[in-house]
PDB file of all heavy atoms in Angstrom:
ATOM      1  N   ARG A   1     117.040 136.404 115.014  1.00 95.00           N
ATOM      2  CA  ARG A   1     118.223 136.289 114.164  1.00 95.00           C
ATOM      3  C   ARG A   1     117.807 135.796 112.785  1.00 95.00           C
ATOM      4  O   ARG A   1     116.849 135.035 112.635  1.00 95.00           O
ATOM      5  CB  ARG A   1     119.228 135.310 114.780  1.00 95.00           C
ATOM      6  CG  ARG A   1     119.955 135.860 116.000  1.00 95.00           C
ATOM      7  CD  ARG A   1     120.791 134.797 116.665  1.00 95.00           C
ATOM      8  NE  ARG A   1     121.650 134.095 115.721  1.00 95.00           N
ATOM      9  CZ  ARG A   1     122.381 133.027 116.038  1.00 95.00           C
ATOM     10  NH1 ARG A   1     122.341 132.544 117.278  1.00 95.00           N
ATOM     11  NH2 ARG A   1     123.133 132.454 115.133  1.00 95.00           N
ATOM     12  N   ARG A   2     118.564 136.209 111.773  1.00 95.00           N
ATOM     13  CA  ARG A   2     118.253 135.747 110.420  1.00 95.00           C
ATOM     14  C   ARG A   2     118.540 134.256 110.279  1.00 95.00           C
ATOM     15  O   ARG A   2     119.570 133.767 110.744  1.00 95.00           O
ATOM     16  CB  ARG A   2     119.072 136.533 109.399  1.00 95.00           C
ATOM     17  CG  ARG A   2     118.605 137.973 109.245  1.00 95.00           C
ATOM     18  CD  ARG A   2     119.317 138.664 108.112  1.00 95.00           C
ATOM     19  NE  ARG A   2     118.827 140.027 107.913  1.00 95.00           N
ATOM     20  CZ  ARG A   2     119.249 140.847 106.972  1.00 95.00           C
ATOM     21  NH1 ARG A   2     120.194 140.425 106.124  1.00 95.00           N
ATOM     22  NH2 ARG A   2     118.749 142.058 106.863  1.00 95.00           N
ATOM     23  N   VAL A   3     117.627 133.587 109.626  1.00 93.00           N
ATOM     24  CA  VAL A   3     117.731 132.142 109.473  1.00 93.00           C
ATOM     25  C   VAL A   3     118.978 131.755 108.670  1.00 93.00           C
ATOM     26  O   VAL A   3     119.561 130.686 108.878  1.00 93.00           O
ATOM     27  CB  VAL A   3     116.456 131.592 108.797  1.00 93.00           C
ATOM     28  CG1 VAL A   3     116.590 130.107 108.511  1.00 93.00           C
ATOM     29  CG2 VAL A   3     115.243 131.854 109.672  1.00 93.00           C
ATOM     30  N   GLY A   4     119.411 132.638 107.778  1.00 92.00           N
ATOM     31  CA  GLY A   4     120.599 132.346 106.975  1.00 92.00           C
ATOM     32  C   GLY A   4     121.849 132.126 107.792  1.00 92.00           C
ATOM     33  O   GLY A   4     122.803 131.501 107.320  1.00 92.00           O
ATOM     34  N   GLY A   5     121.874 132.614 109.013  1.00 92.00           N
ATOM     35  CA  GLY A   5     123.029 132.426 109.888  1.00 92.00           C
ATOM     36  C   GLY A   5     122.890 131.261 110.848  1.00 92.00           C
ATOM     37  O   GLY A   5     123.765 131.038 111.695  1.00 92.00           O
ATOM     38  N   PHE A   6     121.805 130.497 110.698  1.00 92.00           N
ATOM     39  CA  PHE A   6     121.575 129.373 111.605  1.00 92.00           C
ATOM     40  C   PHE A   6     122.492 128.198 111.258  1.00 92.00           C
ATOM     41  O   PHE A   6     122.805 127.947 110.086  1.00 92.00           O
ATOM     42  CB  PHE A   6     120.129 128.892 111.508  1.00 92.00           C
ATOM     43  CG  PHE A   6     119.163 129.669 112.369  1.00 92.00           C
ATOM     44  CD1 PHE A   6     119.518 130.890 112.921  1.00 92.00           C
ATOM     45  CD2 PHE A   6     117.893 129.189 112.624  1.00 92.00           C
ATOM     46  CE1 PHE A   6     118.634 131.601 113.712  1.00 92.00           C
ATOM     47  CE2 PHE A   6     116.999 129.880 113.408  1.00 92.00           C
ATOM     48  CZ  PHE A   6     117.368 131.099 113.956  1.00 92.00           C
ATOM     49  N   SER A   7     122.888 127.465 112.274  1.00 90.00           N
ATOM     50  CA  SER A   7     123.576 126.194 112.064  1.00 90.00           C
ATOM     51  C   SER A   7     122.575 125.167 111.560  1.00 90.00           C
ATOM     52  O   SER A   7     121.353 125.396 111.582  1.00 90.00           O
ATOM     53  CB  SER A   7     124.196 125.704 113.375  1.00 90.00           C
ATOM     54  OG  SER A   7     123.174 125.376 114.310  1.00 90.00           O
ATOM     55  N   LEU A   8     123.086 124.018 111.108  1.00 87.00           N
ATOM     56  CA  LEU A   8     122.199 122.957 110.630  1.00 87.00           C
ATOM     57  C   LEU A   8     121.247 122.510 111.729  1.00 87.00           C
ATOM     58  O   LEU A   8     120.049 122.317 111.503  1.00 87.00           O
ATOM     59  CB  LEU A   8     123.029 121.770 110.133  1.00 87.00           C
ATOM     60  CG  LEU A   8     122.253 120.563 109.587  1.00 87.00           C
ATOM     61  CD1 LEU A   8     121.355 120.971 108.433  1.00 87.00           C
ATOM     62  CD2 LEU A   8     123.219 119.460 109.159  1.00 87.00           C
ATOM     63  N   GLY A   9     121.768 122.373 112.941  1.00 89.00           N
ATOM     64  CA  GLY A   9     120.925 121.941 114.054  1.00 89.00           C
ATOM     65  C   GLY A   9     119.839 122.948 114.397  1.00 89.00           C
ATOM     66  O   GLY A   9     118.692 122.578 114.682  1.00 89.00           O
ATOM     67  N   MET A  10     120.172 124.246 114.354  1.00 92.00           N
ATOM     68  CA  MET A  10     119.168 125.287 114.619  1.00 92.00           C
ATOM     69  C   MET A  10     118.106 125.286 113.520  1.00 92.00           C
ATOM     70  O   MET A  10     116.918 125.505 113.794  1.00 92.00           O
ATOM     71  CB  MET A  10     119.840 126.658 114.723  1.00 92.00           C
ATOM     72  CG  MET A  10     120.724 126.817 115.947  1.00 92.00           C
ATOM     73  SD  MET A  10     121.657 128.370 115.931  1.00 92.00           S
ATOM     74  CE  MET A  10     120.338 129.557 116.180  1.00 92.00           C
ATOM     75  N   GLY A  11     118.545 125.045 112.282  1.00 91.00           N
ATOM     76  CA  GLY A  11     117.589 124.944 111.193  1.00 91.00           C
ATOM     77  C   GLY A  11     116.618 123.792 111.399  1.00 91.00           C
ATOM     78  O   GLY A  11     115.417 123.911 111.091  1.00 91.00           O
ATOM     79  N   GLN A  12     117.129 122.667 111.909  1.00 91.00           N
ATOM     80  CA  GLN A  12     116.251 121.534 112.200  1.00 91.00           C
ATOM     81  C   GLN A  12     115.238 121.891 113.278  1.00 91.00           C
ATOM     82  O   GLN A  12     114.056 121.532 113.185  1.00 91.00           O
ATOM     83  CB  GLN A  12     117.079 120.332 112.648  1.00 91.00           C
ATOM     84  CG  GLN A  12     117.901 119.676 111.563  1.00 91.00           C
ATOM     85  CD  GLN A  12     117.035 119.025 110.506  1.00 91.00           C
ATOM     86  OE1 GLN A  12     116.875 119.531 109.403  1.00 91.00           O
ATOM     87  NE2 GLN A  12     116.448 117.888 110.838  1.00 91.00           N
ATOM     88  N   ARG A  13     115.673 122.601 114.300  1.00 93.00           N
ATOM     89  CA  ARG A  13     114.759 123.014 115.361  1.00 93.00           C
ATOM     90  C   ARG A  13     113.658 123.934 114.811  1.00 93.00           C
ATOM     91  O   ARG A  13     112.493 123.824 115.186  1.00 93.00           O
ATOM     92  CB  ARG A  13     115.528 123.717 116.480  1.00 93.00           C
ATOM     93  CG  ARG A  13     116.366 122.774 117.342  1.00 93.00           C
ATOM     94  CD  ARG A  13     117.186 123.547 118.372  1.00 93.00           C
ATOM     95  NE  ARG A  13     117.990 122.666 119.206  1.00 93.00           N
ATOM     96  CZ  ARG A  13     117.636 122.218 120.405  1.00 93.00           C
ATOM     97  NH1 ARG A  13     116.462 122.590 120.914  1.00 93.00           N
ATOM     98  NH2 ARG A  13     118.410 121.428 121.105  1.00 93.00           N
ATOM     99  N   LEU A  14     114.049 124.823 113.899  1.00 94.00           N
ATOM    100  CA  LEU A  14     113.052 125.702 113.285  1.00 94.00           C
ATOM    101  C   LEU A  14     112.067 124.892 112.449  1.00 94.00           C
ATOM    102  O   LEU A  14     110.859 125.173 112.443  1.00 94.00           O
ATOM    103  CB  LEU A  14     113.753 126.751 112.422  1.00 94.00           C
ATOM    104  CG  LEU A  14     112.841 127.767 111.715  1.00 94.00           C
ATOM    105  CD1 LEU A  14     111.996 128.547 112.729  1.00 94.00           C
ATOM    106  CD2 LEU A  14     113.670 128.725 110.863  1.00 94.00           C
ATOM    107  N   GLY A  15     112.574 123.885 111.756  1.00 94.00           N
ATOM    108  CA  GLY A  15     111.688 123.020 110.986  1.00 94.00           C
ATOM    109  C   GLY A  15     110.697 122.279 111.859  1.00 94.00           C
ATOM    110  O   GLY A  15     109.522 122.118 111.501  1.00 94.00           O
ATOM    111  N   VAL A  16     111.150 121.822 113.021  1.00 94.00           N
ATOM    112  CA  VAL A  16     110.249 121.155 113.964  1.00 94.00           C
ATOM    113  C   VAL A  16     109.215 122.149 114.483  1.00 94.00           C
ATOM    114  O   VAL A  16     108.028 121.813 114.632  1.00 94.00           O
ATOM    115  CB  VAL A  16     111.048 120.529 115.126  1.00 94.00           C
ATOM    116  CG1 VAL A  16     110.112 119.989 116.203  1.00 94.00           C
ATOM    117  CG2 VAL A  16     111.951 119.408 114.612  1.00 94.00           C
ATOM    118  N   ALA A  17     109.650 123.381 114.748  1.00 95.00           N
ATOM    119  CA  ALA A  17     108.710 124.412 115.212  1.00 95.00           C
ATOM    120  C   ALA A  17     107.618 124.643 114.180  1.00 95.00           C
ATOM    121  O   ALA A  17     106.430 124.764 114.522  1.00 95.00           O
ATOM    122  CB  ALA A  17     109.464 125.711 115.487  1.00 95.00           C
ATOM    123  N   ALA A  18     107.995 124.709 112.905  1.00 95.00           N
ATOM    124  CA  ALA A  18     107.005 124.906 111.842  1.00 95.00           C
ATOM    125  C   ALA A  18     106.041 123.724 111.775  1.00 95.00           C
ATOM    126  O   ALA A  18     104.836 123.902 111.547  1.00 95.00           O
ATOM    127  CB  ALA A  18     107.719 125.087 110.502  1.00 95.00           C
ATOM    128  N   ALA A  19     106.550 122.511 111.970  1.00 96.00           N
ATOM    129  CA  ALA A  19     105.694 121.322 111.944  1.00 96.00           C
ATOM    130  C   ALA A  19     104.683 121.333 113.084  1.00 96.00           C
ATOM    131  O   ALA A  19     103.558 120.839 112.938  1.00 96.00           O
ATOM    132  CB  ALA A  19     106.553 120.063 112.012  1.00 96.00           C
ATOM    133  N   LEU A  20     105.056 121.927 114.214  1.00 96.00           N
ATOM    134  CA  LEU A  20     104.180 121.948 115.392  1.00 96.00           C
ATOM    135  C   LEU A  20     103.270 123.174 115.434  1.00 96.00           C
ATOM    136  O   LEU A  20     102.413 123.267 116.311  1.00 96.00           O
ATOM    137  CB  LEU A  20     105.036 121.908 116.668  1.00 96.00           C
ATOM    138  CG  LEU A  20     105.836 120.627 116.908  1.00 96.00           C
ATOM    139  CD1 LEU A  20     106.783 120.816 118.088  1.00 96.00           C
ATOM    140  CD2 LEU A  20     104.904 119.461 117.172  1.00 96.00           C
ATOM    141  N   LEU A  21     103.444 124.085 114.506  1.00 96.00           N
ATOM    142  CA  LEU A  21     102.764 125.375 114.567  1.00 96.00           C
ATOM    143  C   LEU A  21     101.247 125.232 114.661  1.00 96.00           C
ATOM    144  O   LEU A  21     100.592 125.935 115.433  1.00 96.00           O
ATOM    145  CB  LEU A  21     103.144 126.207 113.334  1.00 96.00           C
ATOM    146  CG  LEU A  21     102.716 127.667 113.317  1.00 96.00           C
ATOM    147  CD1 LEU A  21     103.339 128.431 114.482  1.00 96.00           C
ATOM    148  CD2 LEU A  21     103.112 128.313 111.989  1.00 96.00           C
ATOM    149  N   GLY A  22     100.675 124.341 113.888  1.00 95.00           N
ATOM    150  CA  GLY A  22      99.217 124.167 113.886  1.00 95.00           C
ATOM    151  C   GLY A  22      98.700 123.225 114.951  1.00 95.00           C
ATOM    152  O   GLY A  22      97.517 122.858 114.932  1.00 95.00           O
ATOM    153  N   ASP A  23      99.573 122.808 115.890  1.00 96.00           N
ATOM    154  CA  ASP A  23      99.195 121.852 116.941  1.00 96.00           C
ATOM    155  C   ASP A  23      98.518 120.617 116.338  1.00 96.00           C
ATOM    156  O   ASP A  23      97.401 120.240 116.717  1.00 96.00           O
ATOM    157  CB  ASP A  23      98.264 122.526 117.950  1.00 96.00           C
ATOM    158  CG  ASP A  23      98.151 121.738 119.254  1.00 96.00           C
ATOM    159  OD1 ASP A  23      99.051 120.915 119.533  1.00 96.00           O
ATOM    160  OD2 ASP A  23      97.164 121.935 119.985  1.00 96.00           O
ATOM    161  N   PRO A  24      99.193 119.988 115.350  1.00 96.00           N
ATOM    162  CA  PRO A  24      98.539 118.926 114.573  1.00 96.00           C
ATOM    163  C   PRO A  24      98.415 117.610 115.332  1.00 96.00           C
ATOM    164  O   PRO A  24      99.192 117.322 116.249  1.00 96.00           O
ATOM    165  CB  PRO A  24      99.489 118.758 113.381  1.00 96.00           C
ATOM    166  CG  PRO A  24     100.837 119.101 113.941  1.00 96.00           C
ATOM    167  CD  PRO A  24     100.589 120.210 114.928  1.00 96.00           C
ATOM    168  N   ALA A  25      97.443 116.812 114.900  1.00 95.00           N
ATOM    169  CA  ALA A  25      97.265 115.478 115.477  1.00 95.00           C
ATOM    170  C   ALA A  25      98.260 114.479 114.907  1.00 95.00           C
ATOM    171  O   ALA A  25      98.500 113.427 115.492  1.00 95.00           O
ATOM    172  CB  ALA A  25      95.843 114.987 115.213  1.00 95.00           C
ATOM    173  N   THR A  26      98.846 114.807 113.758  1.00 97.00           N
ATOM    174  CA  THR A  26      99.766 113.895 113.075  1.00 97.00           C
ATOM    175  C   THR A  26     101.039 114.649 112.700  1.00 97.00           C
ATOM    176  O   THR A  26     100.979 115.788 112.231  1.00 97.00           O
ATOM    177  CB  THR A  26      99.111 113.328 111.800  1.00 97.00           C
ATOM    178  OG1 THR A  26      97.941 112.595 112.168  1.00 97.00           O
ATOM    179  CG2 THR A  26     100.069 112.406 111.056  1.00 97.00           C
ATOM    180  N   LEU A  27     102.186 113.980 112.898  1.00 97.00           N
ATOM    181  CA  LEU A  27     103.477 114.559 112.538  1.00 97.00           C
ATOM    182  C   LEU A  27     104.208 113.621 111.595  1.00 97.00           C
ATOM    183  O   LEU A  27     104.274 112.414 111.836  1.00 97.00           O
ATOM    184  CB  LEU A  27     104.330 114.797 113.784  1.00 97.00           C
ATOM    185  CG  LEU A  27     103.891 115.966 114.673  1.00 97.00           C
ATOM    186  CD1 LEU A  27     104.518 115.838 116.047  1.00 97.00           C
ATOM    187  CD2 LEU A  27     104.285 117.289 114.042  1.00 97.00           C
ATOM    188  N   VAL A  28     104.779 114.190 110.533  1.00 97.00           N
ATOM    189  CA  VAL A  28     105.597 113.443 109.583  1.00 97.00           C
ATOM    190  C   VAL A  28     106.956 114.135 109.530  1.00 97.00           C
ATOM    191  O   VAL A  28     107.056 115.268 109.044  1.00 97.00           O
ATOM    192  CB  VAL A  28     104.955 113.405 108.187  1.00 97.00           C
ATOM    193  CG1 VAL A  28     105.864 112.667 107.212  1.00 97.00           C
ATOM    194  CG2 VAL A  28     103.589 112.747 108.243  1.00 97.00           C
ATOM    195  N   LEU A  29     107.982 113.478 110.031  1.00 95.00           N
ATOM    196  CA  LEU A  29     109.301 114.104 110.162  1.00 95.00           C
ATOM    197  C   LEU A  29     110.344 113.276 109.415  1.00 95.00           C
ATOM    198  O   LEU A  29     110.505 112.082 109.673  1.00 95.00           O
ATOM    199  CB  LEU A  29     109.686 114.224 111.632  1.00 95.00           C
ATOM    200  CG  LEU A  29     108.660 114.928 112.541  1.00 95.00           C
ATOM    201  CD1 LEU A  29     109.133 114.899 113.987  1.00 95.00           C
ATOM    202  CD2 LEU A  29     108.424 116.360 112.099  1.00 95.00           C
ATOM    203  N   ASP A  30     111.046 113.927 108.498  1.00 92.00           N
ATOM    204  CA  ASP A  30     112.081 113.267 107.710  1.00 92.00           C
ATOM    205  C   ASP A  30     113.447 113.672 108.261  1.00 92.00           C
ATOM    206  O   ASP A  30     113.836 114.835 108.156  1.00 92.00           O
ATOM    207  CB  ASP A  30     111.948 113.671 106.239  1.00 92.00           C
ATOM    208  CG  ASP A  30     112.822 112.833 105.322  1.00 92.00           C
ATOM    209  OD1 ASP A  30     113.427 111.850 105.791  1.00 92.00           O
ATOM    210  OD2 ASP A  30     112.894 113.164 104.115  1.00 92.00           O
ATOM    211  N   GLU A  31     114.166 112.719 108.845  1.00 90.00           N
ATOM    212  CA  GLU A  31     115.490 112.942 109.423  1.00 90.00           C
ATOM    213  C   GLU A  31     115.491 114.118 110.408  1.00 90.00           C
ATOM    214  O   GLU A  31     116.275 115.073 110.266  1.00 90.00           O
ATOM    215  CB  GLU A  31     116.525 113.184 108.313  1.00 90.00           C
ATOM    216  CG  GLU A  31     116.648 112.061 107.300  1.00 90.00           C
ATOM    217  CD  GLU A  31     117.323 110.810 107.870  1.00 90.00           C
ATOM    218  OE1 GLU A  31     117.867 110.868 108.999  1.00 90.00           O
ATOM    219  OE2 GLU A  31     117.299 109.770 107.192  1.00 90.00           O
ATOM    220  N   PRO A  32     114.675 114.091 111.450  1.00 90.00           N
ATOM    221  CA  PRO A  32     114.583 115.245 112.353  1.00 90.00           C
ATOM    222  C   PRO A  32     115.826 115.491 113.201  1.00 90.00           C
ATOM    223  O   PRO A  32     116.013 116.608 113.690  1.00 90.00           O
ATOM    224  CB  PRO A  32     113.379 114.898 113.235  1.00 90.00           C
ATOM    225  CG  PRO A  32     113.335 113.407 113.227  1.00 90.00           C
ATOM    226  CD  PRO A  32     113.757 113.011 111.843  1.00 90.00           C
ATOM    227  N   VAL A  33     116.692 114.486 113.399  1.00 88.00           N
ATOM    228  CA  VAL A  33     117.880 114.696 114.234  1.00 88.00           C
ATOM    229  C   VAL A  33     119.100 115.095 113.420  1.00 88.00           C
ATOM    230  O   VAL A  33     120.181 115.264 113.969  1.00 88.00           O
ATOM    231  CB  VAL A  33     118.200 113.435 115.079  1.00 88.00           C
ATOM    232  CG1 VAL A  33     117.042 113.080 115.984  1.00 88.00           C
ATOM    233  CG2 VAL A  33     118.561 112.255 114.193  1.00 88.00           C
ATOM    234  N   ASN A  34     118.922 115.282 112.115  1.00 84.00           N
ATOM    235  CA  ASN A  34     120.046 115.644 111.264  1.00 84.00           C
ATOM    236  C   ASN A  34     120.670 116.959 111.726  1.00 84.00           C
ATOM    237  O   ASN A  34     120.009 117.990 111.795  1.00 84.00           O
ATOM    238  CB  ASN A  34     119.568 115.779 109.812  1.00 84.00           C
ATOM    239  CG  ASN A  34     120.710 115.965 108.840  1.00 84.00           C
ATOM    240  OD1 ASN A  34     121.829 115.520 109.089  1.00 84.00           O
ATOM    241  ND2 ASN A  34     120.445 116.633 107.730  1.00 84.00           N
ATOM    242  N   GLY A  35     121.966 116.940 112.051  1.00 82.00           N
ATOM    243  CA  GLY A  35     122.673 118.146 112.469  1.00 82.00           C
ATOM    244  C   GLY A  35     122.559 118.494 113.930  1.00 82.00           C
ATOM    245  O   GLY A  35     123.180 119.458 114.390  1.00 82.00           O
ATOM    246  N   LEU A  36     121.772 117.739 114.689  1.00 87.00           N
ATOM    247  CA  LEU A  36     121.625 118.029 116.111  1.00 87.00           C
ATOM    248  C   LEU A  36     122.793 117.445 116.911  1.00 87.00           C
ATOM    249  O   LEU A  36     123.304 116.374 116.593  1.00 87.00           O
ATOM    250  CB  LEU A  36     120.311 117.462 116.649  1.00 87.00           C
ATOM    251  CG  LEU A  36     119.018 118.086 116.104  1.00 87.00           C
ATOM    252  CD1 LEU A  36     117.814 117.373 116.705  1.00 87.00           C
ATOM    253  CD2 LEU A  36     118.959 119.575 116.400  1.00 87.00           C
ATOM    254  N   ASP A  37     123.198 118.156 117.964  1.00 88.00           N
ATOM    255  CA  ASP A  37     124.224 117.643 118.864  1.00 88.00           C
ATOM    256  C   ASP A  37     123.572 116.639 119.821  1.00 88.00           C
ATOM    257  O   ASP A  37     122.344 116.455 119.798  1.00 88.00           O
ATOM    258  CB  ASP A  37     124.908 118.789 119.617  1.00 88.00           C
ATOM    259  CG  ASP A  37     123.937 119.639 120.431  1.00 88.00           C
ATOM    260  OD1 ASP A  37     122.797 119.172 120.696  1.00 88.00           O
ATOM    261  OD2 ASP A  37     124.303 120.760 120.809  1.00 88.00           O
ATOM    262  N   PRO A  38     124.365 115.938 120.649  1.00 89.00           N
ATOM    263  CA  PRO A  38     123.771 114.927 121.536  1.00 89.00           C
ATOM    264  C   PRO A  38     122.638 115.458 122.404  1.00 89.00           C
ATOM    265  O   PRO A  38     121.639 114.766 122.621  1.00 89.00           O
ATOM    266  CB  PRO A  38     124.967 114.471 122.388  1.00 89.00           C
ATOM    267  CG  PRO A  38     126.146 114.644 121.470  1.00 89.00           C
ATOM    268  CD  PRO A  38     125.847 115.904 120.699  1.00 89.00           C
ATOM    269  N   GLN A  39     122.772 116.676 122.899  1.00 90.00           N
ATOM    270  CA  GLN A  39     121.697 117.260 123.711  1.00 90.00           C
ATOM    271  C   GLN A  39     120.441 117.464 122.873  1.00 90.00           C
ATOM    272  O   GLN A  39     119.326 117.198 123.321  1.00 90.00           O
ATOM    273  CB  GLN A  39     122.155 118.596 124.306  1.00 90.00           C
ATOM    274  CG  GLN A  39     121.123 119.224 125.239  1.00 90.00           C
ATOM    275  CD  GLN A  39     121.596 120.547 125.804  1.00 90.00           C
ATOM    276  OE1 GLN A  39     122.484 121.197 125.248  1.00 90.00           O
ATOM    277  NE2 GLN A  39     121.020 120.968 126.916  1.00 90.00           N
ATOM    278  N   GLY A  40     120.637 117.919 121.618  1.00 89.00           N
ATOM    279  CA  GLY A  40     119.504 118.119 120.729  1.00 89.00           C
ATOM    280  C   GLY A  40     118.831 116.815 120.354  1.00 89.00           C
ATOM    281  O   GLY A  40     117.601 116.752 120.230  1.00 89.00           O
ATOM    282  N   ILE A  41     119.630 115.756 120.163  1.00 91.00           N
ATOM    283  CA  ILE A  41     119.065 114.443 119.835  1.00 91.00           C
ATOM    284  C   ILE A  41     118.208 113.930 120.990  1.00 91.00           C
ATOM    285  O   ILE A  41     117.113 113.400 120.790  1.00 91.00           O
ATOM    286  CB  ILE A  41     120.197 113.454 119.494  1.00 91.00           C
ATOM    287  CG1 ILE A  41     120.849 113.854 118.162  1.00 91.00           C
ATOM    288  CG2 ILE A  41     119.665 112.019 119.415  1.00 91.00           C
ATOM    289  CD1 ILE A  41     122.079 113.041 117.817  1.00 91.00           C
ATOM    290  N   LEU A  42     118.719 114.106 122.215  1.00 92.00           N
ATOM    291  CA  LEU A  42     117.937 113.707 123.390  1.00 92.00           C
ATOM    292  C   LEU A  42     116.645 114.515 123.468  1.00 92.00           C
ATOM    293  O   LEU A  42     115.578 113.973 123.780  1.00 92.00           O
ATOM    294  CB  LEU A  42     118.763 113.900 124.656  1.00 92.00           C
ATOM    295  CG  LEU A  42     118.042 113.608 125.977  1.00 92.00           C
ATOM    296  CD1 LEU A  42     117.557 112.165 126.041  1.00 92.00           C
ATOM    297  CD2 LEU A  42     118.960 113.919 127.163  1.00 92.00           C
ATOM    298  N   TRP A  43     116.729 115.797 123.146  1.00 92.00           N
ATOM    299  CA  TRP A  43     115.542 116.659 123.177  1.00 92.00           C
ATOM    300  C   TRP A  43     114.490 116.173 122.181  1.00 92.00           C
ATOM    301  O   TRP A  43     113.320 116.037 122.528  1.00 92.00           O
ATOM    302  CB  TRP A  43     115.956 118.094 122.863  1.00 92.00           C
ATOM    303  CG  TRP A  43     114.792 118.951 122.472  1.00 92.00           C
ATOM    304  CD1 TRP A  43     113.832 119.453 123.290  1.00 92.00           C
ATOM    305  CD2 TRP A  43     114.443 119.347 121.134  1.00 92.00           C
ATOM    306  NE1 TRP A  43     112.900 120.158 122.538  1.00 92.00           N
ATOM    307  CE2 TRP A  43     113.256 120.115 121.230  1.00 92.00           C
ATOM    308  CE3 TRP A  43     115.030 119.154 119.888  1.00 92.00           C
ATOM    309  CZ2 TRP A  43     112.647 120.665 120.111  1.00 92.00           C
ATOM    310  CZ3 TRP A  43     114.425 119.705 118.772  1.00 92.00           C
ATOM    311  CH2 TRP A  43     113.239 120.451 118.889  1.00 92.00           C
ATOM    312  N   ILE A  44     114.885 115.909 120.939  1.00 92.00           N
ATOM    313  CA  ILE A  44     113.898 115.494 119.940  1.00 92.00           C
ATOM    314  C   ILE A  44     113.326 114.126 120.276  1.00 92.00           C
ATOM    315  O   ILE A  44     112.133 113.867 120.094  1.00 92.00           O
ATOM    316  CB  ILE A  44     114.498 115.502 118.512  1.00 92.00           C
ATOM    317  CG1 ILE A  44     113.397 115.371 117.450  1.00 92.00           C
ATOM    318  CG2 ILE A  44     115.511 114.389 118.319  1.00 92.00           C
ATOM    319  CD1 ILE A  44     112.512 116.566 117.331  1.00 92.00           C
ATOM    320  N   ARG A  45     114.165 113.234 120.824  1.00 93.00           N
ATOM    321  CA  ARG A  45     113.673 111.918 121.225  1.00 93.00           C
ATOM    322  C   ARG A  45     112.596 112.056 122.304  1.00 93.00           C
ATOM    323  O   ARG A  45     111.526 111.455 122.219  1.00 93.00           O
ATOM    324  CB  ARG A  45     114.827 111.074 121.767  1.00 93.00           C
ATOM    325  CG  ARG A  45     114.427 109.660 122.174  1.00 93.00           C
ATOM    326  CD  ARG A  45     115.522 109.014 123.016  1.00 93.00           C
ATOM    327  NE  ARG A  45     116.832 109.198 122.421  1.00 93.00           N
ATOM    328  CZ  ARG A  45     117.972 109.195 123.110  1.00 93.00           C
ATOM    329  NH1 ARG A  45     117.950 109.025 124.418  1.00 93.00           N
ATOM    330  NH2 ARG A  45     119.122 109.356 122.497  1.00 93.00           N
ATOM    331  N   THR A  46     112.890 112.888 123.311  1.00 94.00           N
ATOM    332  CA  THR A  46     111.930 113.100 124.401  1.00 94.00           C
ATOM    333  C   THR A  46     110.655 113.754 123.884  1.00 94.00           C
ATOM    334  O   THR A  46     109.544 113.388 124.270  1.00 94.00           O
ATOM    335  CB  THR A  46     112.571 113.976 125.489  1.00 94.00           C
ATOM    336  OG1 THR A  46     113.785 113.357 125.938  1.00 94.00           O
ATOM    337  CG2 THR A  46     111.635 114.139 126.678  1.00 94.00           C
TER     338      THR A  46
END
């Protein structure tokens, strides 16, 4: 699906996917739960 039609929460998930793309040893995340619903917040916390 085109990213332009994503909700804020889906956009955050895509941003997390991009951060993990290189399987990095270090992660720097600015407001990663912004726009996520309760299930999404639990997911990012886990």
